């Protein structure tokens, strides 16, 4: 960690320091890391000069390998070679079809457990290994510790999958600036390249997930109008179609993990060859059986026609939600390695009757967009762009008869908070179970269950008299928190929860600490340094805020903030971590109403020159 | 939130709204206060930007949708009561629903039906602007809002069937 440079508050004339930030595309098949270097986004290259890191982790008794090295074990030690872990993250064992995974999977109390020679691993830990590797690549390329990262997720990921991805980042020691949606990231990469305006479709078919987003681009604003997709549809399924065909024809023993793995590899080779050849000939021996086959593009198309139709249907649904028709679309951006398949290009081209935008490398475009966004969030960039994304799936709670009552509909712009009132159905009822679900279907069983919690200490009343206000809040990472309170009495019964999936905050902290294995002294000095950085930043920014807007404060408010500011400056040079923290918190709390007033002023400023009559907020 | 949504976006309190101006002003505000603008800011600014940005989104969603906008105007003038739709409209609803079931797979009929329902949508919207902006007849408007809401949902179903 660099030494702290403490300057007199308000006199900081240091030019703004360039912060080291990265964008990560954590993919089903491959992962990439990118950063904005000298003004343009670039993929960061690994030691072996490759830009793609295969999302494969290999566990042996004492070692962990990631990437190409790990993939080499796929055919000889399939059970310990974990690929496509993105298809398992944030899921329970009941959500996955185990036949598709040549691994030993079991239920691990809310998460999936994967049995390896290195012990039980869950998808969060496996993903963290990939992220750690990317972090190392980035630190080597950029020459130092990272300030933060923007990590992409499929737009159609649900709350559990997003939270699990965030947990994996934390486990990998990455400071998450934002989770952003893959299609939106791709649009950013294209938008900046072309200074585009209008309505755009991003068609993103990756290795294991499919997203389609409709965006409006105007003057640096990327507004997502609608998103649709399938978090379980991707290139892997196109491979699987070939696997099934071969199995049916040659009666191979797919129960055997090694055989299953060999056919999967063969299927992928066939698919990839067909992306630039009209036909491909196969001659291979698997499990003592000779496989001799000639595949043409036409044959392949017939095998995967249902999958193609699914992507088109989702695209039409997204257009419908955005209230647009195909002829109102100004451009179609193709993203994800699977869009290289000629049958996909043809189908999407036919639907929109226009040439597709695919001049940026479909494997790289998401990471590049994430890097641009990271650069903006860190305050490095001059670009004036803003992303307004949406909830991909409706959020609601279970009501009588296992019916879902929607609280936040899908395609609502983030951040958002919405509330709904419910009541008790029994006389004297003092508790209420709140079951949070996500999905578009009316019945609870058809939706994804996110959390279940109980609001207790409701004052006893006759049925229907209590008013339970349930509030859902979704932040800019697309993550949900829920609160519930009884509002008719002063004795407030209330509860606030953030759904967690198998791993608690404490779990992650313990795992993190053990992975760092720092000496106790190091931990203390590290913590103190971090506290000081935060305090110093608060001092500087508060001073700036006062310089700009102190007229918003009354004399007493101003004095009070100044006093807290002085207190913080006074304790800053001590080495008392707790005191600095306390003073930081004090100043933060005291400045909150000031921050609110400044925000109101920003709103006013935003509309100046547009004849303000009366503006208070 | 204490402020009127129309004042927030600097628009007159009317059902007939300048949707271009609404969108422009919404965007200008979000560009200033969105949490992405405060990613490296102090904790208190992060919190405040999240709160304001959320409120602005909520206000925008409300004014953008004709039914929500109309309901919002009514809520400023009249206490919320349960509305009973007239029996002839309830009959009409059932007929429309049945008709949609009958023609679910027939593209030509669906297109025709969509035109009919679109006309109804226009008709109720126009009716609302008279009831709200000219007559300030909140009780009549409340009924029309429910009709418009039903027609809006029906149109959505027709569009899904058309896909």
């Amino acid at each position: 960690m660099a030494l702290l440079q403490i300057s007199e508050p308000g006199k900081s004339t240091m030019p703004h320091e360039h912060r080291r930030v990265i964008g990560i595309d954590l993919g089903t098949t491959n992962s990439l890391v990118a950063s904005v270097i000298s003004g343009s986004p670039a993929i960061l290259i690994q030691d072996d000069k490759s830009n793609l890191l295969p999302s494969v982790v290999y566990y042996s008794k004492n070692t962990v390998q990631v990437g190409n090295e790990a993939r080499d074990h796929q055919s000889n030690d399939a059970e310990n070679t974990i690929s496509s872990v993105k298809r398992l993250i944030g899921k329970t064992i009941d959500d996955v079809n185990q036949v598709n995974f040549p691994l030993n999977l079991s239920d691990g109390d809310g998460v999936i457990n994967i049995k390896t020679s290195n012990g039980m691993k869950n998808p969060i830990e496996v993903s963290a290994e990939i992220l750690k590797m990317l972090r190392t690549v980035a630190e080597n390329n950029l020459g130092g510790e990272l300030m933060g990262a923007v990590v992409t997720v499929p737009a159609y990921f649900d709350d559990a999958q997003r939270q699990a991805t965030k947990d994996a980042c934390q486990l990998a020691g990455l400071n998450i600036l934002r989770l952003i949606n893959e299609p939106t990231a791709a649009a950013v990469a294209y938008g900046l390249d072309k200074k585009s305006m209008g309505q755009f479709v991003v068609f993103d078919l990756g290795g294991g997930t499919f997203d389609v987003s409709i965006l409006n681009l105007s003057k640096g604003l990327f507004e997502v109008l609608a998103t649709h997709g399938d978090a379980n549809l991707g290139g892997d399924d196109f491979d699987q179609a070939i696997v099934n065909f071969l199995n049916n024809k040659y009666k191979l023993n797919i129960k055997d993990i090694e055989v299953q793995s060999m056919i999967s590899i063969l299927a992928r080779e066939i698919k990839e060859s067909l992306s630039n050849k009209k036909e491909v000939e196969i001659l291979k021996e698997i499990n003592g059986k000779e496989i001799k086959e000639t595949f043409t593009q036409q044959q392949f198309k017939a095998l995967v026609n249902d999958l193609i139709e699914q992507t088109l249907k989702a695209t039409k649904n997204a257009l419908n939600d955005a209230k647009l028709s195909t002829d109102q679309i100004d451009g179609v951006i193709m993203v994800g390695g699977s869009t290289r398949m000629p049958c996909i290009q043809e189908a999407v081209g036919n639907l929109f009757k226009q040439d597709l935008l695919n001049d940026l490398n479909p494997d790289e475009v998401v990471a590049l967009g994430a890097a641009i966004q990271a650069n903006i969030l860190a305050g490095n960039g001059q670009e004036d762009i803003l992303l307004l994304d949406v909830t991909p799936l409706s959020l609601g709670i279970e009501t009588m008869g296992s019916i879902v009552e929607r609280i936040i509909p899908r395609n609502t712009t983030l951040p958002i908070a919405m509330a709904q009132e419910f009541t008790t159905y029994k006389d004297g009822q003092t508790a209420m179970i709140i079951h949070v679900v996500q999905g578009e279907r009316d019945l609870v069983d058809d939706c994804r269950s996110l959390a279940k919690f109980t609001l207790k200490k409701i004052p006893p009343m006759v049925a229907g008299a209590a008013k339970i206000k349930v509030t859902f809040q979704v932040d800019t990472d697309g993550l949900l928190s829920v609160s519930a309170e009884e509002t008719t009495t002063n004795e407030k019964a209330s509860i606030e929860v953030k759904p967690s999936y198998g791993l608690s905050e404490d779990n992650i902290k313990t795992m993190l600490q053990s992975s760092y294995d720092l000496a106790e002294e190091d931990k203390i000095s590290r913590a103190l340094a971090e506290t000081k950085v935060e305090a110093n930043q608060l001092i500087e920014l508060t001073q700036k805020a006062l310089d700009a807007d102190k007229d918003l404060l009354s004399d007493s408010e101003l004095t009070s903030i100044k006093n807290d500011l002085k207190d913080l400056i006074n304790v800053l040079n001590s080495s008392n971590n707790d005191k600095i923290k306390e003073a930081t918190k004090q100043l933060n709390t005291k400045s909150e109403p000031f921050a609110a007033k400044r925000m109101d002023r920003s709103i006013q400023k935003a509309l100046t020159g547009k004849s303000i009559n009366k503006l208070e907020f | 939130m204490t402020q009127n949504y129309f004042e927030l976006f600097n628009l007159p309190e009317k059902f007939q709204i300048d949707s271009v101006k609404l969108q422009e002003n919404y965007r200008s505000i979000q560009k200033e206060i969105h949490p992405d603008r405060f990613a490296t800011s102090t904790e208190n600014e992060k919190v405040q930007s999240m709160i304001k940005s959320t409120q602005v989104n909520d206000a925008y969603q409300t004014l953008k949708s004709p039914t929500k906008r109309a309901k919002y105007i009514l809520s400023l003038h009249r206490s919320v009561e349960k509305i009973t739709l007239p029996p002839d409209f309830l009959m009409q609803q059932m007929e429309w629903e049945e008709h949609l079931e009958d023609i679910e797979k027939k593209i030509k009929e669906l297109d025709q039906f969509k035109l009919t329902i679109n006309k109804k949508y226009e008709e109720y919207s126009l009716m609302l602007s008279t009831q709200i902006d000219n007559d300030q007849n909140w009780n009549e408007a409340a009924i029309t809002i429910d009709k418009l809401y039903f027609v809006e949902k029906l149109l959505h179903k027709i569009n899904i069937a058309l896909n």
Side-chain angles (χ1 to χ4, degrees), chain A residues 178 218-219 223 316 320 373 384 414-415 417 537-538 588 591 596 598 600 610-611 615-617, chain B residues 1 3 7 10 25 27-28 31 35-37 40 42 44-45 48 52 54-55 57 159 163:
Chain A
R178 275 286 180 277
S218 100
K219 295 176 196 155
E223 196 177 352
K316 288 177 197 164
N320 191 21
Q373 178 66 355
D384 181 29
L414 302 176
Q537 187 209 17
L538 179 64
N588 245 324
S591 312
R598 296 186 69 223
D600 290 341
K610 297 181 181 172
S611 72
L615 274 173
E616 280 165 29
F617 192 55
Chain B
M1 186 163 59
Q3 199 200 10
E7 285 170 10
N10 202 18
N25 287 356
R27 289 174 173 178
S28 307
K31 276 192 172 178
D36 282 3
R37 293 281 186 250
T40 56
T42 59
N44 61 54
E45 282 189 321
Q48 287 305 320
K52 294 286 171 190
T54 300
Q55 289 171 344
N57 273 335
N159 281 329
N163 279 342

Short mmCIF file of all heavy atoms in Angstrom, two decimals, chain A residues 178 218-219 223 316 320 373 384 414-415 417 537-538 588 591 596 598 600 610-611 615-617, chain B residues 1 3 7 10 25 27-28 31 35-37 40 42 44-45 48 52 54-55 57 159 163:
data_model
loop_
_atom_site.label_atom_id
_atom_site.label_comp_id
_atom_site.label_asym_id
_atom_site.label_seq_id
_atom_site.Cartn_x
_atom_site.Cartn_y
_atom_site.Cartn_z
N ARG A 178 -19.28 -1.56 -9.30
CA ARG A 178 -20.64 -1.86 -9.77
C ARG A 178 -20.67 -3.22 -10.42
O ARG A 178 -19.70 -3.64 -11.04
CB ARG A 178 -21.06 -0.89 -10.88
CG ARG A 178 -21.63 0.41 -10.52
CD ARG A 178 -23.04 0.41 -10.01
NE ARG A 178 -23.38 1.79 -9.71
CZ ARG A 178 -23.05 2.40 -8.58
NH1 ARG A 178 -22.45 1.75 -7.61
NH2 ARG A 178 -23.35 3.67 -8.40
N SER A 218 -28.81 8.35 -26.33
CA SER A 218 -28.86 9.75 -26.73
C SER A 218 -27.95 10.59 -25.86
O SER A 218 -28.01 10.50 -24.64
CB SER A 218 -30.30 10.27 -26.69
OG SER A 218 -30.55 11.00 -25.54
N LYS A 219 -27.11 11.35 -26.46
CA LYS A 219 -26.19 12.27 -25.79
C LYS A 219 -25.53 11.66 -24.58
O LYS A 219 -25.58 12.21 -23.48
CB LYS A 219 -26.93 13.54 -25.39
CG LYS A 219 -27.43 14.35 -26.57
CD LYS A 219 -28.25 15.53 -26.07
CE LYS A 219 -29.09 16.13 -27.20
NZ LYS A 219 -30.26 16.83 -26.71
N GLU A 223 -30.10 4.36 -21.97
CA GLU A 223 -31.28 4.03 -21.20
C GLU A 223 -31.82 2.68 -21.67
O GLU A 223 -32.25 2.54 -22.81
CB GLU A 223 -32.32 5.14 -21.44
CG GLU A 223 -33.43 5.15 -20.44
CD GLU A 223 -34.40 6.31 -20.68
OE1 GLU A 223 -34.12 7.18 -21.53
OE2 GLU A 223 -35.45 6.32 -20.03
N LYS A 316 -38.42 -10.80 -29.53
CA LYS A 316 -39.72 -10.19 -29.84
C LYS A 316 -40.42 -9.72 -28.57
O LYS A 316 -41.05 -8.67 -28.55
CB LYS A 316 -40.61 -11.19 -30.58
CG LYS A 316 -40.17 -11.44 -32.02
CD LYS A 316 -41.07 -12.49 -32.64
CE LYS A 316 -40.47 -13.07 -33.90
NZ LYS A 316 -41.14 -14.33 -34.28
N ASN A 320 -41.62 -5.97 -27.58
CA ASN A 320 -42.99 -5.72 -27.15
C ASN A 320 -43.01 -4.92 -25.84
O ASN A 320 -43.75 -3.94 -25.72
CB ASN A 320 -43.70 -7.07 -26.97
CG ASN A 320 -45.19 -6.91 -26.79
OD1 ASN A 320 -45.77 -5.89 -27.16
ND2 ASN A 320 -45.82 -7.92 -26.19
N GLN A 373 -16.76 1.86 -18.19
CA GLN A 373 -17.63 2.24 -17.08
C GLN A 373 -16.85 2.36 -15.77
O GLN A 373 -17.08 3.27 -14.98
CB GLN A 373 -18.79 1.23 -16.96
CG GLN A 373 -19.74 1.47 -15.82
CD GLN A 373 -20.55 2.76 -15.95
OE1 GLN A 373 -20.35 3.55 -16.86
NE2 GLN A 373 -21.45 2.99 -15.01
N ASP A 384 -18.81 11.87 -20.82
CA ASP A 384 -20.03 12.21 -20.11
C ASP A 384 -21.09 11.18 -20.44
O ASP A 384 -21.99 11.41 -21.22
CB ASP A 384 -20.46 13.61 -20.56
CG ASP A 384 -21.71 14.06 -19.85
OD1 ASP A 384 -21.92 13.62 -18.70
OD2 ASP A 384 -22.47 14.84 -20.44
N LEU A 414 -33.59 1.47 -12.56
CA LEU A 414 -32.92 1.45 -11.26
C LEU A 414 -32.20 2.78 -10.99
O LEU A 414 -31.79 3.42 -11.94
CB LEU A 414 -31.90 0.32 -11.21
CG LEU A 414 -32.46 -1.07 -11.46
CD1 LEU A 414 -31.32 -2.08 -11.48
CD2 LEU A 414 -33.47 -1.43 -10.41
N PRO A 415 -32.01 3.15 -9.73
CA PRO A 415 -32.48 2.50 -8.51
C PRO A 415 -33.97 2.76 -8.29
O PRO A 415 -34.48 3.78 -8.74
CB PRO A 415 -31.66 3.17 -7.41
CG PRO A 415 -31.37 4.54 -7.94
CD PRO A 415 -31.26 4.39 -9.43
N ALA A 417 -37.47 2.07 -5.46
CA ALA A 417 -38.07 1.53 -4.24
C ALA A 417 -39.58 1.58 -4.44
O ALA A 417 -40.11 2.57 -4.92
CB ALA A 417 -37.67 2.36 -3.03
N GLN A 537 -10.31 11.53 2.64
CA GLN A 537 -11.19 11.81 1.51
C GLN A 537 -12.42 12.60 1.96
O GLN A 537 -12.84 13.55 1.31
CB GLN A 537 -11.60 10.48 0.87
CG GLN A 537 -12.38 10.66 -0.42
CD GLN A 537 -13.34 9.52 -0.64
OE1 GLN A 537 -13.67 8.76 0.28
NE2 GLN A 537 -13.83 9.40 -1.86
N LEU A 538 -12.96 12.19 3.12
CA LEU A 538 -14.14 12.87 3.64
C LEU A 538 -13.82 14.33 3.95
O LEU A 538 -14.59 15.24 3.64
CB LEU A 538 -14.67 12.15 4.89
CG LEU A 538 -15.90 12.78 5.55
CD1 LEU A 538 -17.10 12.74 4.62
CD2 LEU A 538 -16.23 12.08 6.86
N ASN A 588 -19.90 12.29 8.86
CA ASN A 588 -20.76 11.76 7.80
C ASN A 588 -22.23 11.94 8.15
O ASN A 588 -23.02 12.38 7.33
CB ASN A 588 -20.47 10.27 7.61
CG ASN A 588 -19.89 9.99 6.24
OD1 ASN A 588 -20.27 10.63 5.26
ND2 ASN A 588 -18.97 9.06 6.16
N SER A 591 -23.32 15.58 8.11
CA SER A 591 -23.36 16.20 6.78
C SER A 591 -24.51 15.69 5.91
O SER A 591 -24.71 16.17 4.81
CB SER A 591 -22.06 15.93 6.03
OG SER A 591 -20.96 16.21 6.83
N ALA A 596 -28.18 16.27 1.23
CA ALA A 596 -29.52 16.25 0.65
C ALA A 596 -29.83 17.60 -0.02
O ALA A 596 -30.35 17.65 -1.14
CB ALA A 596 -30.55 15.94 1.72
N ARG A 598 -27.68 19.75 -1.13
CA ARG A 598 -26.83 19.92 -2.30
C ARG A 598 -27.41 19.14 -3.49
O ARG A 598 -27.35 19.57 -4.64
CB ARG A 598 -25.41 19.46 -2.02
CG ARG A 598 -24.73 20.28 -0.95
CD ARG A 598 -23.29 19.90 -0.80
NE ARG A 598 -22.54 20.31 -1.97
CZ ARG A 598 -21.62 19.57 -2.58
NH1 ARG A 598 -21.36 18.35 -2.15
NH2 ARG A 598 -20.98 20.02 -3.62
N ASP A 600 -30.56 18.57 -4.01
CA ASP A 600 -31.69 19.38 -4.51
C ASP A 600 -31.19 20.50 -5.41
O ASP A 600 -31.77 20.79 -6.45
CB ASP A 600 -32.46 20.01 -3.34
CG ASP A 600 -33.22 18.96 -2.55
OD1 ASP A 600 -33.43 17.86 -3.10
OD2 ASP A 600 -33.58 19.24 -1.40
N LYS A 610 -34.33 26.28 -18.26
CA LYS A 610 -35.59 25.68 -18.71
C LYS A 610 -36.73 26.30 -17.92
O LYS A 610 -37.65 25.62 -17.50
CB LYS A 610 -35.54 24.17 -18.52
CG LYS A 610 -34.45 23.55 -19.36
CD LYS A 610 -34.40 22.06 -19.19
CE LYS A 610 -33.27 21.52 -20.05
NZ LYS A 610 -33.04 20.11 -19.81
N SER A 611 -36.64 27.61 -17.69
CA SER A 611 -37.64 28.40 -16.98
C SER A 611 -38.16 27.74 -15.71
O SER A 611 -39.18 27.09 -15.70
CB SER A 611 -38.83 28.74 -17.89
OG SER A 611 -39.62 27.62 -18.15
N LEU A 615 -39.16 25.17 -7.64
CA LEU A 615 -38.51 23.87 -7.51
C LEU A 615 -38.04 23.63 -6.10
O LEU A 615 -37.09 24.25 -5.64
CB LEU A 615 -37.30 23.77 -8.45
CG LEU A 615 -37.60 23.32 -9.88
CD1 LEU A 615 -36.35 23.44 -10.72
CD2 LEU A 615 -38.10 21.90 -9.91
N GLU A 616 -38.72 22.74 -5.45
CA GLU A 616 -38.24 22.30 -4.15
C GLU A 616 -38.35 20.80 -4.17
O GLU A 616 -39.26 20.25 -4.74
CB GLU A 616 -39.16 22.78 -3.03
CG GLU A 616 -38.95 24.21 -2.63
CD GLU A 616 -40.13 24.66 -1.80
OE1 GLU A 616 -40.75 23.80 -1.15
OE2 GLU A 616 -40.44 25.85 -1.84
N PHE A 617 -37.44 20.15 -3.53
CA PHE A 617 -37.52 18.70 -3.55
C PHE A 617 -37.10 18.15 -2.22
O PHE A 617 -36.06 18.49 -1.73
CB PHE A 617 -36.62 18.17 -4.68
CG PHE A 617 -36.86 16.73 -4.97
CD1 PHE A 617 -38.13 16.30 -5.28
CD2 PHE A 617 -35.83 15.82 -4.93
CE1 PHE A 617 -38.35 14.97 -5.57
CE2 PHE A 617 -36.06 14.49 -5.22
CZ PHE A 617 -37.31 14.08 -5.54
N MET B 1 -41.66 11.96 0.30
CA MET B 1 -41.31 13.09 -0.56
C MET B 1 -42.41 14.13 -0.50
O MET B 1 -43.59 13.82 -0.57
CB MET B 1 -41.11 12.60 -1.99
CG MET B 1 -40.61 13.69 -2.90
SD MET B 1 -39.94 13.03 -4.43
CE MET B 1 -41.35 12.17 -5.08
N GLN B 3 -42.55 16.97 -2.46
CA GLN B 3 -42.81 17.77 -3.64
C GLN B 3 -43.70 17.08 -4.67
O GLN B 3 -43.64 15.87 -4.87
CB GLN B 3 -41.50 18.15 -4.30
CG GLN B 3 -41.67 19.32 -5.23
CD GLN B 3 -40.55 19.38 -6.22
OE1 GLN B 3 -39.76 18.44 -6.31
NE2 GLN B 3 -40.49 20.44 -6.96
N GLU B 7 -44.11 19.53 -10.40
CA GLU B 7 -43.16 20.60 -10.09
C GLU B 7 -41.72 20.12 -10.24
O GLU B 7 -40.86 20.84 -10.74
CB GLU B 7 -43.39 21.11 -8.66
CG GLU B 7 -44.62 21.98 -8.53
CD GLU B 7 -44.96 22.27 -7.09
OE1 GLU B 7 -44.16 21.96 -6.19
OE2 GLU B 7 -46.07 22.82 -6.86
N ASN B 10 -40.84 20.34 -13.62
CA ASN B 10 -41.12 21.65 -14.17
C ASN B 10 -42.19 21.61 -15.27
O ASN B 10 -42.00 22.17 -16.35
CB ASN B 10 -39.80 22.25 -14.69
CG ASN B 10 -39.87 23.75 -14.79
OD1 ASN B 10 -40.74 24.37 -14.18
ND2 ASN B 10 -38.96 24.33 -15.57
N ASN B 25 -36.17 16.52 -19.18
CA ASN B 25 -35.89 16.99 -17.83
C ASN B 25 -35.50 15.84 -16.90
O ASN B 25 -34.62 15.99 -16.05
CB ASN B 25 -37.10 17.74 -17.26
CG ASN B 25 -37.25 19.10 -17.91
OD1 ASN B 25 -36.41 19.50 -18.72
ND2 ASN B 25 -38.31 19.82 -17.57
N ARG B 27 -33.91 13.16 -17.80
CA ARG B 27 -32.53 12.81 -18.13
C ARG B 27 -31.54 13.82 -17.56
O ARG B 27 -30.50 13.45 -17.03
CB ARG B 27 -32.36 12.70 -19.64
CG ARG B 27 -33.05 11.48 -20.20
CD ARG B 27 -33.00 11.45 -21.70
NE ARG B 27 -33.51 10.20 -22.21
CZ ARG B 27 -33.63 9.93 -23.49
NH1 ARG B 27 -33.29 10.83 -24.39
NH2 ARG B 27 -34.11 8.76 -23.89
N SER B 28 -31.89 15.11 -17.69
CA SER B 28 -30.98 16.13 -17.17
C SER B 28 -30.78 15.95 -15.67
O SER B 28 -29.66 16.09 -15.16
CB SER B 28 -31.54 17.54 -17.41
OG SER B 28 -31.86 17.69 -18.75
N LYS B 31 -28.65 12.84 -14.84
CA LYS B 31 -27.24 13.05 -15.16
C LYS B 31 -26.51 13.74 -14.01
O LYS B 31 -25.30 13.58 -13.85
CB LYS B 31 -27.09 13.88 -16.44
CG LYS B 31 -27.17 13.03 -17.69
CD LYS B 31 -26.74 13.84 -18.91
CE LYS B 31 -26.63 12.94 -20.13
NZ LYS B 31 -26.27 13.70 -21.33
N PRO B 35 -26.47 7.73 -8.69
CA PRO B 35 -25.39 7.18 -7.85
C PRO B 35 -24.07 6.96 -8.60
O PRO B 35 -23.01 7.03 -7.98
CB PRO B 35 -25.96 5.84 -7.37
CG PRO B 35 -27.43 6.03 -7.36
CD PRO B 35 -27.73 6.97 -8.50
N ASP B 36 -24.11 6.71 -9.88
CA ASP B 36 -22.86 6.54 -10.63
C ASP B 36 -22.01 7.81 -10.62
O ASP B 36 -20.81 7.74 -10.85
CB ASP B 36 -23.16 6.16 -12.09
CG ASP B 36 -23.53 4.70 -12.23
OD1 ASP B 36 -23.62 4.01 -11.19
OD2 ASP B 36 -23.75 4.24 -13.37
N ARG B 37 -22.66 8.94 -10.39
CA ARG B 37 -21.91 10.19 -10.32
C ARG B 37 -21.20 10.34 -8.97
O ARG B 37 -20.40 11.25 -8.78
CB ARG B 37 -22.86 11.39 -10.51
CG ARG B 37 -23.45 11.47 -11.88
CD ARG B 37 -22.43 12.07 -12.85
NE ARG B 37 -23.00 12.29 -14.16
CZ ARG B 37 -22.67 11.59 -15.24
NH1 ARG B 37 -21.78 10.62 -15.15
NH2 ARG B 37 -23.24 11.84 -16.40
N THR B 40 -17.26 7.53 -6.06
CA THR B 40 -16.07 7.68 -5.22
C THR B 40 -16.28 8.81 -4.21
O THR B 40 -15.33 9.40 -3.72
CB THR B 40 -14.82 8.01 -6.07
OG1 THR B 40 -15.10 9.18 -6.83
CG2 THR B 40 -14.47 6.88 -7.00
N THR B 42 -18.34 10.69 -0.71
CA THR B 42 -18.48 10.32 0.70
C THR B 42 -19.74 9.48 0.90
O THR B 42 -20.66 9.50 0.08
CB THR B 42 -18.61 11.57 1.59
OG1 THR B 42 -19.74 12.30 1.15
CG2 THR B 42 -17.38 12.44 1.48
N ASN B 44 -22.24 9.88 2.93
CA ASN B 44 -23.50 10.62 3.01
C ASN B 44 -24.00 11.07 1.64
O ASN B 44 -25.19 11.09 1.38
CB ASN B 44 -23.41 11.78 4.01
CG ASN B 44 -22.36 12.80 3.65
OD1 ASN B 44 -22.38 13.33 2.53
ND2 ASN B 44 -21.45 13.10 4.55
N GLU B 45 -23.06 11.38 0.75
CA GLU B 45 -23.49 11.76 -0.60
C GLU B 45 -23.99 10.55 -1.38
O GLU B 45 -24.95 10.64 -2.15
CB GLU B 45 -22.35 12.46 -1.35
CG GLU B 45 -22.20 13.90 -0.89
CD GLU B 45 -21.24 14.71 -1.74
OE1 GLU B 45 -20.19 14.15 -2.16
OE2 GLU B 45 -21.53 15.89 -1.99
N GLN B 48 -27.53 9.94 -0.12
CA GLN B 48 -28.49 10.94 -0.61
C GLN B 48 -28.75 10.81 -2.11
O GLN B 48 -29.87 10.98 -2.56
CB GLN B 48 -27.98 12.35 -0.28
CG GLN B 48 -28.09 12.70 1.20
CD GLN B 48 -29.50 12.52 1.73
OE1 GLN B 48 -30.48 12.84 1.06
NE2 GLN B 48 -29.61 11.99 2.94
N LYS B 52 -32.46 10.27 -3.72
CA LYS B 52 -33.05 11.20 -4.69
C LYS B 52 -33.26 10.52 -6.05
O LYS B 52 -34.29 10.70 -6.69
CB LYS B 52 -32.12 12.41 -4.90
CG LYS B 52 -31.97 13.29 -3.69
CD LYS B 52 -33.21 14.12 -3.45
CE LYS B 52 -33.05 14.81 -2.09
NZ LYS B 52 -34.22 15.45 -1.58
N THR B 54 -33.75 7.45 -6.68
CA THR B 54 -34.89 6.55 -6.56
C THR B 54 -36.20 7.32 -6.66
O THR B 54 -37.12 6.92 -7.39
CB THR B 54 -34.82 5.81 -5.20
OG1 THR B 54 -33.61 5.08 -5.14
CG2 THR B 54 -35.99 4.86 -5.03
N GLN B 55 -36.27 8.46 -5.95
CA GLN B 55 -37.50 9.25 -5.98
C GLN B 55 -37.78 9.80 -7.38
O GLN B 55 -38.92 9.81 -7.85
CB GLN B 55 -37.39 10.42 -4.98
CG GLN B 55 -37.45 9.93 -3.54
CD GLN B 55 -37.11 11.04 -2.55
OE1 GLN B 55 -36.56 12.07 -2.91
NE2 GLN B 55 -37.45 10.81 -1.29
N ASN B 57 -36.80 8.49 -10.21
CA ASN B 57 -37.26 7.37 -11.05
C ASN B 57 -38.73 7.07 -10.82
O ASN B 57 -39.48 6.83 -11.76
CB ASN B 57 -36.44 6.11 -10.75
CG ASN B 57 -35.18 6.03 -11.59
OD1 ASN B 57 -35.12 6.61 -12.67
ND2 ASN B 57 -34.19 5.31 -11.11
N ASN B 159 -50.59 -8.16 -28.01
CA ASN B 159 -49.24 -8.11 -28.56
C ASN B 159 -48.47 -9.40 -28.27
O ASN B 159 -47.71 -9.87 -29.12
CB ASN B 159 -48.47 -6.93 -27.97
CG ASN B 159 -48.84 -5.62 -28.65
OD1 ASN B 159 -49.18 -5.61 -29.83
ND2 ASN B 159 -48.83 -4.54 -27.91
N ASN B 163 -46.88 -12.25 -31.03
CA ASN B 163 -45.50 -12.76 -31.12
C ASN B 163 -45.50 -14.27 -31.28
O ASN B 163 -44.54 -14.91 -31.08
CB ASN B 163 -44.71 -12.38 -29.86
CG ASN B 163 -44.23 -10.94 -29.96
OD1 ASN B 163 -44.19 -10.37 -31.03
ND2 ASN B 163 -43.88 -10.36 -28.82
#
